Structure formats: structure tokens, C-alpha cells
Amino acid sequence: MAHIIEQAKSGRATCRTCRKPIAKGELRFGEEVENQFAEGGETTYRWHHLPCAARSKTDELRATLATVEDVPVEQRAELEKLMAEADAKKPPPYPHADKAPTGRARCLGCGENIPKGEIRVAIEREIERGMMTTKGAGYLHPKCAAAFVEAGGMTHAELTEALRANTRDLSEEELERLFAEV
């Protein structure tokens, strides 16, 4: 879908992020979505202030900014800063390793608790909730991770490469310990 950045034609649109009006003439981000009231797959836009979109729709805004030249350089710099801050708050992609913030998680491989502060491997798993299936995090001891993901089709080399690329908050010493156990 093609998202857009344009000047607001009137002051009637409301930002879908902060719920405040978007003033006439102000630059706004249009997130193209399928119109739920149309029958033929027509599309419509959900409007956002540019700073609001920088915080909540970073990937979409970044791609759209690359194709648009109407945004002033000063505003682009501010938007890049907001998008970088938002990206830093996002959890890393799966699989990644981190330290367990609590002692409540159970290892998917062996079923034992993962103690608070211990290094764990986070993977994406499907969670069944009644008639609905969602995706969420599942956790493994590093020693259980290789066998568990190999049963799912990922090789040991792919796991270590992904962990190296996606892990953010571990020291070099902790990373060495992680890879020794995996």
C-alpha cells in the first residue's frame, strides 16, 4: 500500500495516534489502509501528525520519507531523531538473547524455571488462545536452545548467526558465555 505525506487540506482530520486535530496546512502522514465500509477493496487513509507517526509508525514513515521531497530538512532531522528513539525501544527481532527480568519464565525445552538475571534465548512461538492463535515470545536456556530450534527446522549455525545479529544488551563476556552454552 502507498502511504503519503501531504499538507492537510482542512482542519477536520484527527491524528490516529494522539487523537488531536491536524491543523490545515500542516504536514501529515497518511497510512493507506483498506476501507472497511467499501465492498470493492478500496482504500482510505489514517492520518497522523508527522512526529506521532515517527514514534508509532517508524518503518512506514521511513519508507515514505525516502520517496517524498516536500519535508523541510530541519523537520527531517527531528523525525529521524524520533524514529531512532522509537527503534531503540522496540524489542529486537527473534531469536535474541537477554537476561530474565523475573524468575517466572519456563524453558520450552526442559520445562524448568529460568532464574532471574540468567541469560535466556527468546524465540517466536505460536500461542493458542481459545479459537485464536497469536504469536509471542518463548524462552529457552542457552543449553536447550540448539536442540529446540533444530527440531523446528533452524540449524545451529543459523541460530548463532541470528543471536549474534539480534542480541543487544549483553556484554562481550556474557555473549561468550552464551555461545559456549549454545
Side-chain angles (χ1 to χ4, degrees):
M1 298 200 161
H3 306 306
I4 62 171
I5 295 175
E6 68 175 24
Q7 285 188 344
K9 296 178 177 99
S10 70
R12 295 186 320 243
T14 301
C15 176
R16 297 290 280 229
T17 304
C18 71
R19 303 286 185 212
K20 294 180 181 169
I22 301 173
K24 181 178 181 178
E26 183 179 357
L27 283 177
R28 63 185 180 176
F29 172 70
E31 176 188 17
E32 188 177 27
V33 294
E34 189 174 320
N35 187 343
Q36 61 185 350
F37 300 108
E39 293 180 20
E42 298 166 15
T43 60
T44 188
Y45 291 100
R46 290 184 187 150
W47 299 107
H48 303 268
H49 293 107
L50 286 180
C52 293
R55 290 184 199 99
S56 65
K57 304 284 180 190
T58 55
D59 296 335
E60 296 90 339
L61 180 61
R62 190 173 282 120
T64 306
L65 277 171
T67 64
V68 175
E69 296 178 13
D70 297 349
V71 181
V73 174
E74 314 83 47
Q75 194 171 10
R76 278 183 188 267
E78 178 64 24
L79 293 172
E80 288 294 334
K81 179 182 169 202
L82 291 171
M83 287 187 290
E85 290 171 2
D87 286 342
K89 292 178 184 176
K90 286 182 185 176
Y94 296 110
H96 67 270
D98 62 8
K99 290 183 187 176
T102 68
R104 296 183 310 190
R106 287 195 179 273
C107 176
L108 294 174
C110 66
E112 295 178 15
N113 279 356
I114 301 172
K116 180 178 181 176
E118 288 295 313
I119 296 173
R120 65 185 183 178
V121 175
I123 61 167
E124 187 173 45
R125 68 181 179 133
E126 290 186 352
I127 303 167
E128 291 187 28
R129 300 198 172 173
M131 296 182 69
M132 190 172 82
T133 302
T134 61
K135 294 189 184 242
Y139 300 103
L140 298 157
H141 290 108
K143 65 182 182 215
C144 301
F148 188 85
V149 298
E150 284 175 0
M154 181 184 267
T155 66
H156 185 269
E158 291 170 335
L159 173 64
T160 54
E161 183 179 320
L163 287 173
R164 233 178 259 292
N166 299 336
T167 300
R168 294 183 188 160
D169 298 328
L170 298 181
S171 68
E172 287 298 319
E173 180 183 303
E174 292 166 332
L175 284 171
E176 286 178 27
R177 196 169 79 224
L178 168 71
F179 292 119
E181 290 183 38
V182 170

